Amino acid sequence: MKAKILSVSEVNQYVKTLLESNSLLKNLIIQGELSNVKRAASGHLYFSLKDAGSKIDCVMFKNVVTGLKFLPKEGLKVTLRGSLGVYLPSGQYQITVRSMEPQGLGDLFQAYLVLKDELASKGYFDRDHKKKLPEIISRVGLVTSPTGAAIKDIISIIKRRNPLMDIVIYPSLVQGDEAAGTIIKGIQAFNTARSVDVIIIGRGGGSIEDLWAFNDERLAKAIFESELPIVSAVGHEIDYTIADFVADLRAPTPSGAAELVAEETLSMIQNLVAQKKRLSQSMAATIDRNRRLLLQIRKELLRYRPQERIEERRLFLDIINERLVRALMGQLKSERQQLINIKTRIEAMSPVNALKKGYVRVTDNYDKSVVSVAGLQVDQPVTLHFVDGQAKARIQSTKETR
């Protein structure tokens, strides 16, 4: 008997029919731990249900999600009801969930919460310890996988938003037992070299196991002690790690981190360009206004014929100057004559002139002038002052004239 050749779609459809016809698989009640929880834009919820040895993909459609009484989170233990089927395009089997109830926290998630509380009590998450991003970022350091999708998104966005920004990559592991150690070395290397302005650490989304390196206490300490500001960009918007809480700034995704660091410089450049434009417009307006004012002043000056007025004032000043010179010369002549008259009167009153006429001046022993006979005594020595000398004498007698 010749075997029938089936297409891939026929095989998937056959398996789907087998699974969906099984009464046990149509009404599953299953317990496990939520992992890799993602809410799609459509409102549907996608996640994995796992235990210590295995995991299975699940989907919960929007109409069921809206009826949930709790928020499905990474690490939460749940009991769900649903049916096992096959997603035909990929051939993967999955559980279509009809209801879900919380049961408790998974071991990893419980460890995450314990470490979070411990670091919070030490002040690792305090806002006082958060460093601001520099106003100007010219070089950014990336600590991430050199082959992951995250680094491609970061580089693409930074180059698009700010082509002048330099990017320095420190390749590291982002998953597995050794990942935290390599990320720490990257942070320490950038701090030692001081070759960048800000550091971005991160990776794309994944389950709590995939992101566990970013919940490492050693990494939290390295972020806390970093002197350079650190932006954490781990997973998707709904994913939160210890690194997110310790970092100076948390970006919802690696792409978001790129936008944050590029936005700082881009905004500044845009502001400078806008300010330059406003300043140029203001200067142009001021120059134009002053130009119009100068033209108006020029018209006014021309209307008042300033040159002619200056010439008229110059002639008037010449006339005034001539008058002042004449008046001054007349005044000087008059004052000179007055001086001559005063000199004549002074000379006429001079004692020397009186002596020239034969008069004599008499002084006593103390060289004081004798002006009255009453001040003389008989035999008193006196000095007679002539125009050409002196003579000594004694008083023989006195006689007063009545």
Side-chain angles (χ1 to χ4, degrees):
M1 180 179 177
K2 188 176 181 181
K4 182 181 180 181
I5 299 176
L6 300 175
S7 66
V8 174
S9 296
E10 287 175 329
V11 172
N12 284 344
Q13 182 61 57
Y14 180 72
V15 173
K16 177 179 174 67
T17 302
L18 286 177
L19 293 176
E20 293 178 353
S21 63
N22 186 292
S23 59
L24 174 63
L25 300 180
K26 287 171 61 177
N27 297 284
L28 280 174
I29 302 176
I30 183 171
Q31 286 186 343
E33 181 181 324
L34 294 181
S35 178
N36 205 21
V37 181
K38 297 177 184 178
R39 181 82 177 260
S42 60
H44 305 326
L45 192 68
Y46 297 93
F47 57 92
S48 298
L49 194 68
K50 66 176 185 176
D51 56 21
S54 187
K55 70 176 182 177
I56 187 171
D57 292 335
C58 303
V59 59
M60 178 181 285
F61 294 114
K62 181 179 178 180
N63 62 320
V64 181
V65 174
T66 54
L68 290 176
K69 305 298 184 183
F70 68 101
L71 179 64
K73 290 191 284 189
E74 194 81 17
L76 190 65
K77 285 187 176 180
V78 297
T79 300
L80 57 80
R81 289 174 170 80
S83 58
L84 186 66
V86 174
Y87 182 59
L88 288 176
S90 63
Q92 293 180 328
Y93 71 86
Q94 62 183 15
I95 296 175
T96 302
V97 180
R98 294 191 295 270
S99 67
M100 183 164 58
E101 297 292 338
Q103 295 297 316
L105 297 175
D107 294 338
L108 280 181
F109 196 68
Q110 183 65 46
Y112 161 82
L113 292 178
V114 170
L115 179 59
K116 180 183 173 186
D117 291 341
E118 180 183 343
L119 295 181
S121 66
K122 292 181 179 179
Y124 274 43
F125 309 155
D126 291 353
R127 296 188 63 85
D128 294 342
H129 294 294
K130 305 291 185 184
K131 294 177 285 293
K132 292 183 179 180
L133 297 188
E135 292 184 3
I136 300 177
I137 300 175
S138 58
R139 178 172 290 182
V140 59
L142 305 183
V143 182
T144 188
S145 169
T147 59
I151 194 171
K152 296 177 182 177
D153 292 341
I154 292 174
I155 293 174
S156 174
I157 291 172
I158 288 177
K159 290 303 180 184
R160 174 170 53 83
R161 293 172 70 90
N162 187 358
L164 299 178
M165 184 178 289
D166 292 332
I167 301 172
V168 182
I169 301 171
Y170 187 98
S172 71
L173 299 174
V174 293
Q175 186 172 334
D177 295 338
E178 299 178 2
T182 61
I183 298 170
I184 292 170
K185 288 180 180 178
I187 293 173
Q188 292 173 341
F190 281 129
N191 273 273
T192 300
R194 293 296 178 130
S195 57
V196 298
D197 302 308
V198 64
I199 302 171
I200 296 177
I201 62 171
R203 55 154 290 161
S207 65
I208 190 171
E209 292 89 355
D210 297 336
L211 307 180
W212 194 248
F214 294 90
N215 292 320
D216 189 283
E217 184 174 2
R218 295 169 302 155
L219 176 58
K221 187 173 185 293
I223 296 172
F224 184 75
E225 294 177 347
S226 172
E227 295 183 12
L228 294 173
I230 294 180
V231 179
S232 175
V234 183
H236 300 293
E237 189 167 358
I238 61 172
D239 297 322
Y240 273 88
T241 65
I242 297 297
D244 292 324
F245 292 109
V246 185
D248 300 297
L249 193 63
R250 187 249 177 185
T253 61
S255 299
E259 292 176 358
L260 283 173
V261 297
E263 179 67 21
E264 295 290 331
T265 306
L266 182 62
S267 296
M268 185 191 67
I269 293 173
Q270 290 173 341
N271 288 335
L272 287 175
V273 171
Q275 290 179 10
K276 179 183 177 183
K277 182 178 180 181
R278 287 195 297 269
L279 182 60
S280 297
Q281 291 173 343
S282 176
M283 291 178 61
T286 302
I287 292 171
D288 185 60
R289 183 169 59 253
N290 289 338
R291 183 183 290 112
R292 291 197 302 269
L293 180 61
L294 287 173
L295 289 174
Q296 182 65 29
I297 293 173
R298 184 172 182 273
K299 290 179 181 179
E300 294 291 329
L301 287 174
L302 292 175
R303 185 163 65 87
Y304 284 107
R305 304 185 305 280
Q307 189 64 36
E308 295 180 15
R309 290 179 176 272
I310 291 171
E311 292 298 332
E312 291 174 359
R313 291 296 178 185
R314 184 178 288 118
L315 292 175
F316 179 72
L317 288 175
D318 289 342
I319 294 171
I320 295 296
N321 182 62
E322 185 179 348
R323 289 177 182 174
L324 286 173
V325 170
R326 286 201 302 268
L328 183 61
M329 293 301 294
Q331 185 175 355
L332 288 174
K333 184 178 179 181
S334 174
E335 291 180 354
R336 187 181 293 111
Q337 185 59 48
Q338 289 180 15
L339 288 173
I340 293 172
N341 294 339
I342 291 170
K343 179 182 179 184
T344 301
R345 288 197 297 271
I346 290 173
E347 288 176 349
M349 297 171 61
S350 172
V352 176
N353 289 336
L355 293 177
K356 287 180 180 180
K357 294 178 181 181
Y359 294 97
V360 175
R361 186 168 69 89
V362 182
T363 60
D364 59 16
N365 291 338
Y366 302 103
D367 202 28
K368 291 184 178 180
S369 296
V370 178
V371 296
S372 173
V373 172
L376 294 175
Q377 297 178 358
V378 176
D379 203 31
Q380 178 183 343
V382 293
T383 302
L384 303 178
H385 298 271
F386 297 89
V387 70
D388 58 351
Q390 300 174 356
K392 299 291 184 178
R394 283 184 180 277
I395 302 300
Q396 293 181 352
S397 63
T398 63
K399 181 182 180 181
E400 293 186 18
T401 305
R402 299 294 180 181

